[in-house]
Amino acid sequence: MSSTKLYLYTRFERFWHWAQAALIIFLLVTGFEVHGSFSLFGFGTAVTVHNFCAWTWLVLYAFIVFWIITTGEWRHYVPTFVKMFEVIQYYMSGIFKGEVHPVPKSERIKHNPLQRITYLGIVSLLVPFQIVTGFLYYVYNDWLAFGWALNLSTIAILHTAGAFAMLAFSVVHIYMTTTGHHPLSHIKAMFTGYEELETKEKM
């Protein structure tokens, strides 16, 4: 096997990736503290930091969606089941045998079928779900003025469930970053923009 480098991630893409990662970490930590899971910053500070990060992420999310649409990057998130089975089989066994990824990255294909569905689900379902439940939680004191007959406990449970889903995704995502050409290849790529890809040597 040999390797080659391909420029895949622009400066803005790398910026929003790491900014979003930092915001998610702070939101999870402060959110679980507000939930009463542990004490780190103190309840008042945790609430303040959580709300600040939430509003910051909302603004960043708007820019990300705008960027994805206007630059044509949305094409990399269009679901496809072509070679889906092969990708799943690769992660279940092939990767441990040193096999080459069935859907190698390229400027035309940044994400494999499994990534496309996962990322699309995060961007279009999980994040909006957290935004809506978080906003409802945030304006709880104004529910009566708005005429909303909601249950705070239900909203809290839904928002917390979404947080656990985001935590689960983050854990899996971090693990997947170690499955590149080298354990730190994918992480390095999100700093430099260049992805190191495996290629088959010609006989």
Side-chain angles (χ1 to χ4, degrees), residues 45-140:
T45 300
V47 171
T48 300
V49 173
H50 191 81
N51 289 339
F52 173 79
C53 290
W55 284 112
T56 302
W57 193 13
L58 180 60
V59 173
L60 177 62
Y61 179 74
F63 275 102
I64 293 172
V65 172
F66 176 78
W67 178 81
I68 289 176
I69 294 175
T70 57
T71 61
E73 285 290 314
W74 58 269
R75 295 184 180 86
H76 296 289
Y77 298 89
V78 176
T80 177
F81 289 95
V82 177
K83 292 192 175 182
M84 173 66 83
F85 176 75
E86 288 87 341
V87 171
I88 294 175
Q89 189 174 42
Y90 169 77
Y91 285 121
M92 290 181 65
S93 62
I95 191 172
F96 303 109
K97 301 175 183 177
E99 296 179 3
V100 176
H101 199 291
V103 184
K105 291 186 178 183
S106 67
E107 294 179 343
R108 188 174 62 87
I109 304 175
K110 286 186 180 181
H111 308 306
N112 65 55
L114 196 58
Q115 289 176 311
R116 289 186 178 214
I117 291 179
T118 301
Y119 294 156
L120 182 62
I122 295 295
V123 173
S124 62
L125 296 176
L126 183 55
V127 173
F129 176 82
Q130 285 301 87
I131 289 174
V132 171
T133 54
F135 179 75
L136 290 175
Y137 213 147
Y138 183 76
V139 298
Y140 167 69

Side-chain angles (χ1 to χ4, degrees), residues 12 21 58 91 124 161 177 188 190 195 200:
F12 180 70
L58 180 60
Y91 285 121
S124 62
T177 64
K188 183 179 179 180
M190 291 311 298
E195 184 77 56
K200 291 182 178 180

Side-chain angles (χ1 to χ4, degrees), residues 28-40 42-43 46-47 137 160:
L28 287 173
V29 171
T30 56
F32 285 131
E33 178 167 5
V34 171
H35 187 67
S37 301
F38 55 83
S39 180
L40 180 63
F43 182 82
V47 171
Y137 213 147
T160 302

